[in-house]
Each structure stands twice: as structure tokens, then as C-alpha cells.
Amino acid sequence: MARNFIWISLLILFSIYSYGQGTELKKLRDSLTKTTNEKSRLSLLIELAKETALTSPDSALQLALEASIIAQKSESEKDVARVYRLLGRIHYDQGRYAEAIEHYNIAYMHSGRINDSSSMSSVLNNIGRAYRRIGEPKEALEYLYKSLDFAGEDTEMIGVVSNNLAMVLNDIGDDSLALHYYKHSLSIAEDEKDSSSIVLSLNNLGSQYDRMKDYKKSEECYRRALVMAEKLNDVEILGLTYNNIGG
């Protein structure tokens, strides 16, 4: 009975989320049809592509390609890098990791021309994630460590990369170092008071403790995550946490 209640609650939350997303898409499309300014159109195309990347990847790809034409015309290295990051993301989300890496590398090149270290760190992190997906942990670690180098004092980025490093280290069986980076990622999320990141970090840390057979600490992490996840009303995070607890 309790399990049924959980899934009914998740379905209700998902319906609310879907309605909100549909409203946002309509606003973006309406703005796009009314806008003639190229800079504004570029930003709208990118946002619309991001919003539709998972549900309508082919449409998102067309929007991104239209954005790339505007970016190339503007001769702005930053705009071109933005579009190639977007193209990388669309390919990544569809499991086309080689294509994602190719587009991310182009984004990195354009970001490097203007010394945009924030963008370079983000792109290197995404390349590392793609290499992990294709089962190349050595390359994944190389790019993730480089991403940390470019992150500077951007604690949010450091937290994200630390979490991704932990996942790769987990893959290759380096449990102690994986645990270190998961704890570091959680510490940063707590310092930033980023509730969503805290819940995700607690779930990952719980999984790591579970892998190391420290079931008491694992359950503590999951229970803490559940309390926060229920307050957030985030369907995806809530589902992940319930799944881990039911594990």
C-alpha cells in the first residue's frame, strides 16, 4: 500500500512538472516568432533546444544548427562555443558519445581562443563524462582532472567534477579515493546550500558506502537524502532516492 502511494505521488508530481515544462516551451516559441534581433534569437534557439533535447532530439538538433548559423555569422567565439556545447549535449543525451566528444572538442577550442576558463572547465568535464560512458576510464580521468585545473575558485564546478571523478574511480575499483571525492562534492553542496546537489551527493555517497559494505552509513545517507528530496518535490530526485532505499 505504501509503495503504491509513493508511485501515485510521483505520478502527480510528474504531471505537474510536465505541465510546467509545456508552458515554458510555449513561451519560448512565442518569443522566438516575435524576435528579429539576431542575438536574442540565438539565445532563444539555444534555450528552446535545451528544453526539447530529451523529448524531441531531432527538433533540438535542428534548433541548434539554426543557432550555429547565427553564431558563425556573429564571429563571436563565445557564441560559437555555446552552440557546440549544446550540440555536444544533444548527442550525449542520445548516447552518441563519439559525436558528443567531437562537438565538445570544438567548443573547447573556441573557448580557449578567448581564455574562457569557466567554459573550458565545463567542456572538459563533459568530455570526461562521455569517455566514461564509452568505457575509457583513463581518458575520463585525464579530462576530469584537467577540468578541475580550469575550475579555479568556482566551487560549484569543483563539486560537479568531484562527483564525476568519484564515479569513474568507483568504476575502476578505487573505493577510498571515490569516497574522498564524493565527500568533497557533498561538502561543497552543503557550503553552497544547494539542496538538489546535496540530495544527489547523499545518494551517491550512500551507494559508495553500500559498495564498501558499510550499510549503516549507507542507510544514514539515504534517509537524509529522502527528507530533503520530499521537501524539494523533484520527481527525478525523489524517484532516485526511493529506488536506492528500496534497493
Side-chain angles (χ1 to χ4, degrees), residues 191-206:
D191 287 344
E192 296 290 315
K193 296 182 172 54
D194 183 340
S195 297
S196 295
S197 294
I198 291 172
V199 175
L200 289 172
S201 293
L202 283 168
N203 272 292
N204 288 333
L205 190 57

Side-chain angles (χ1 to χ4, degrees), residues 98-111:
E99 290 91 339
I101 290 170
E102 180 183 345
H103 286 88
Y104 283 138
N105 273 318
I106 296 172
Y108 178 75
M109 177 185 69
H110 286 284
S111 295

Side-chain angles (χ1 to χ4, degrees), residues 95 132 139 144 178 181 186 215-216 222 228 239:
R132 175 179 179 253
E139 286 78 4
L144 290 170
Y181 277 109
L186 174 60
Y215 302 120
K216 182 179 178 182
Y222 290 148
M228 295 192 72

Side-chain angles (χ1 to χ4, degrees), residues 156-239:
E156 183 179 354
M157 192 70 225
I158 293 169
V160 169
V161 180
S162 295
N163 186 72
N164 289 329
L165 274 168
M167 287 193 284
V168 180
L169 291 163
N170 183 297
D171 291 342
I172 62 176
D174 194 336
D175 289 331
S176 60
L177 197 53
L179 186 66
H180 164 77
Y181 277 109
Y182 276 138
K183 285 182 175 179
H184 188 47
S185 180
L186 174 60
S187 175
I188 290 172
E190 289 175 333
D191 287 344
E192 296 290 315
K193 296 182 172 54
D194 183 340
S195 297
S196 295
S197 294
I198 291 172
V199 175
L200 289 172
S201 293
L202 283 168
N203 272 292
N204 288 333
L205 190 57
S207 295
Q208 185 61 35
Y209 277 126
D210 189 61
R211 173 186 168 90
M212 298 170 73
K213 300 188 182 346
D214 191 336
Y215 302 120
K216 182 179 178 182
K217 286 186 179 178
S218 174
E219 185 175 355
E220 286 174 0
C221 288
Y222 290 148
R223 293 297 172 185
R224 281 183 62 197
L226 180 60
V227 171
M228 295 192 72
E230 288 176 335
K231 290 178 182 177
L232 288 172
N233 280 343
D234 184 303
V235 178
E236 187 175 351
I237 292 176
L238 200 54

Side-chain angles (χ1 to χ4, degrees), residues 120-171:
M120 293 163 78
S121 179
S122 176
V123 169
L124 289 167
N125 172 63
N126 288 329
I127 294 173
R129 291 172 63 228
Y131 272 117
R132 175 179 179 253
R133 288 292 186 177
I134 59 178
E136 298 287 351
K138 182 179 177 182
E139 286 78 4
L141 288 173
E142 178 185 342
Y143 279 95
L144 290 170
Y145 281 124
K146 282 174 67 178
S147 175
L148 275 184
D149 290 339
F150 282 103
E153 297 181 3
D154 185 344
T155 53
E156 183 179 354
M157 192 70 225
I158 293 169
V160 169
V161 180
S162 295
N163 186 72
N164 289 329
L165 274 168
M167 287 193 284
V168 180
L169 291 163
N170 183 297
D171 291 342

